[in-house]
Amino acid sequence: MAHRIFHYLLLGMVLLGSSVLQAQENSTYRLSSGDVISINVFGEEDLSFEELRLNDAGIFSFPFLGEIRARGLTASQLEDLLTERLKGDYLISPRVSISVLQYREFFISGEVREPGGYPYQPGLTLRRAIALAGGMTERASTNRITIIRDQSGSSEKGSLDSIVMPGDTITIDQGFF
């Protein structure tokens, strides 16, 4: 009996830890094209959207307000922007919440078995990204990996423990034998 209670307690701690990690990541995560968000304006069904994909410019259309540029904003910043713009002319005291439902893809090419775009998952490492792409080919080099960061456009040398972010482009080069 005690073993079963310990098991459920451990499972609960893992789930709580993963939701805390997700919340922390969402607080610093910058929105961009391809992200899918939900918008909830409390008590205003016509202004709430269960699933909204940001276009190529990171923009979406919102009733009464027109085009809203979300690219580069955190979910919290977007909440503040919508709250401020809805306040006064449209609503007295709007309460807006934004959730990221689906992150944009990351891309992996070069010496992997199945190059292409893959859905981002919070906590993704380069090792796991390579596994999603079917693993490395026999000619792949673990020392010649480049990651181009979507947010900054910077290029960096990657290791198998590097963190992958949404929109990143990863290239696995050939090793010299």
Side-chain angles (χ1 to χ4, degrees):
M1 180 70 170
H3 183 281
R4 196 174 279 219
I5 291 172
F6 176 75
H7 177 73
Y8 287 124
L9 190 61
L10 185 62
L11 179 63
M13 288 172 41
V14 167
L15 291 175
L16 179 64
S18 113
S19 66
V20 167
L21 178 65
Q22 179 90 21
Q24 287 173 342
E25 188 161 316
N26 277 342
S27 68
T28 60
Y29 177 74
R30 303 258 174 210
L31 298 167
S32 193
S33 61
D35 288 331
V36 178
I37 61 173
S38 72
I39 301 174
N40 182 30
V41 180
F42 183 74
E44 300 293 332
E45 222 174 272
D46 294 341
L47 298 177
S48 297
F49 299 90
E50 288 184 25
E51 192 172 300
L52 188 67
R53 182 177 298 275
L54 302 182
N55 71 14
D56 289 345
I59 294 172
F60 65 93
S61 184
F62 196 81
F64 305 118
L65 303 179
E67 290 190 340
I68 303 293
R69 181 176 175 83
R71 182 183 205 122
L73 300 178
T74 64
S76 178
Q77 290 171 328
L78 184 57
E79 287 173 0
D80 294 344
L81 175 71
L82 290 178
T83 299
E84 195 59 39
R85 300 225 7 229
L86 287 170
K87 193 183 297 181
D89 291 341
Y90 302 106
L91 300 172
I92 295 170
S93 182
R95 288 188 289 170
V96 178
S97 67
I98 307 287
S99 298
V100 179
L101 300 177
Q102 182 180 344
Y103 299 94
R104 61 193 171 278
E105 293 181 324
F106 70 91
F107 302 90
I108 188 165
S109 64
E111 295 300 318
V112 290
R113 298 196 190 286
E114 298 174 28
Y118 291 90
Y120 171 77
Q121 304 160 6
L124 187 67
T125 62
L126 189 52
R127 184 182 316 273
R128 287 182 49 214
I130 291 168
L132 287 172
M136 292 182 165
T137 66
E138 58 281 345
R139 295 183 295 186
S141 169
T142 57
N143 298 323
R144 299 185 64 213
I145 300 172
T146 306
I147 302 173
I148 299 174
R149 298 291 182 189
D150 181 49
Q151 291 296 317
S152 64
S154 65
S155 177
E156 60 186 63
K157 183 178 181 327
S159 73
L160 294 178
D161 295 322
S162 295
I163 298 295
V164 175
M165 298 301 294
D168 282 356
T169 301
I170 303 160
T171 303
I172 312 288
D173 288 330
Q174 286 184 4
F176 296 107
F177 299 104

